[in-house]
Amino acid sequence: MTPDVTKAVRMVAEAADGAALTEVPRRVCAAVSEGLGMDGATLSLLTDTPSRQLLAASNDAALLLEEIQFTLLEGPCIAAAHRGEPVAVDELRGAVTPWPLFGAAMREKLPQVESVYALPVFFGDYVLGSVDLLALRPHALDEEALERASAVADAVAAALLPTRDVIITGDRAPSWEPVDVVRAHWFDTARAVGALVATRELTPEDALALMRAEAFRTGRSLADITRDILHESPGSP
């Protein structure tokens, strides 16, 4: 199926029009998934790694896709943000991905997902984040369709622009869904990194690497490791 990019762009704009700022990411994410005929979508910001921010996930499969990349620090979403260009994985079950840990985790935890696509989200000349798309069929987007889908990422950037103060400079965890995961991606990981820096005299980079290694060793999510650290840290709620 060839997606109707013009329709998808319109749906994104309509989803954001008149919506409360806290509702924009969730509504836009759902519009992207439906408009492009995908089986799931996520929106995330890729600023400093400890402060990586999940904005929205359209369903549980999309949320797990994001969690896998967040824990492993590899995958199409991160590659798209770093390169500033769309990234495609057309056959997860039938081909080796450039990210061996990501590929193995996807085949284990999301065996029904056949293809994943990531679109960088630009604010001006700066890549601020990405849109992830997943499909239960291989080759859900051909090369031309993926290139045209960048217009949808531009529509997402425009839709998020009015929320920029909340997204970038907000000093409170947003009430976006799913609340626990958004909070873990938004504030709690950075707080856990700070706790390890203070108690173990690590650099922030080493603290985060230690958390990711523990998540990988135990098969748990980085959000789970974060909660454990904060629970054990004095003064944490």
Side-chain angles (χ1 to χ4, degrees):
M1 179 182 68
T2 302
D4 186 339
V5 171
T6 301
K7 176 185 175 183
V9 168
R10 184 178 69 251
M11 289 178 66
V12 168
E14 291 174 350
D17 186 31
L21 294 184
T22 55
E23 286 290 308
V24 168
R26 180 185 64 81
R27 290 169 59 93
V28 164
C29 191
V32 169
S33 183
E34 181 181 353
L36 289 176
M38 295 291 109
D39 296 300
T42 69
L43 305 181
S44 61
L45 301 184
L46 299 175
T47 52
D48 294 333
T49 299
S51 301
R52 182 175 173 196
Q53 297 158 5
L54 171 68
L55 300 185
S58 65
N59 55 30
D60 289 344
L63 182 59
L64 184 51
L65 167 64
E66 171 64 18
E67 282 291 346
I68 289 170
Q69 295 183 98
F70 186 54
T71 298
L72 298 178
L73 195 58
E74 68 174 32
C77 173
I78 297 166
H82 286 172
R83 299 175 192 170
E85 59 187 29
V87 173
V89 181
D90 288 313
E91 293 187 51
L92 265 170
R93 287 193 287 185
V96 177
T97 74
W99 318 280
L101 297 180
F102 169 79
M106 287 292 293
R107 285 187 285 272
E108 176 187 353
K109 297 182 178 182
L110 286 171
Q112 73 275 27
V113 174
E114 288 277 15
S115 50
V116 175
Y117 304 93
L119 308 170
V121 174
F122 287 88
F123 279 12
D125 294 330
Y126 181 65
V127 179
L128 193 60
S130 71
V131 176
D132 267 15
L133 308 166
L134 65 86
L136 306 185
R137 60 194 186 278
H139 298 277
L141 296 176
D142 61 24
E143 186 174 346
E144 180 183 355
L146 182 62
E147 184 176 345
R148 291 192 294 110
S150 294
V152 179
D154 292 340
V156 168
L160 292 178
L161 193 59
T163 72
R164 62 190 181 279
D165 290 339
V166 176
I167 290 173
I168 297 172
T169 63
D171 58 0
R172 299 180 61 186
S175 58
W176 297 337
E177 298 290 343
V179 173
D180 291 345
V181 178
V182 170
R183 182 180 178 93
H185 280 244
W186 186 288
F187 274 0
D188 289 353
T189 302
R191 290 174 56 218
V193 166
L196 290 182
V197 168
T199 58
R200 303 195 187 184
E201 298 183 351
L202 299 171
T203 66
E205 293 77 14
D206 287 345
L208 186 61
L210 182 66
M211 292 166 60
R212 284 200 159 95
E214 180 66 9
F216 182 71
R217 183 185 70 81
T218 60
R220 302 167 71 207
S221 72
L222 189 59
D224 292 333
I225 304 302
T226 289
R227 280 191 290 270
D228 287 350
I229 293 170
L230 294 180
H231 181 71
E232 296 168 0
S233 298
S236 295

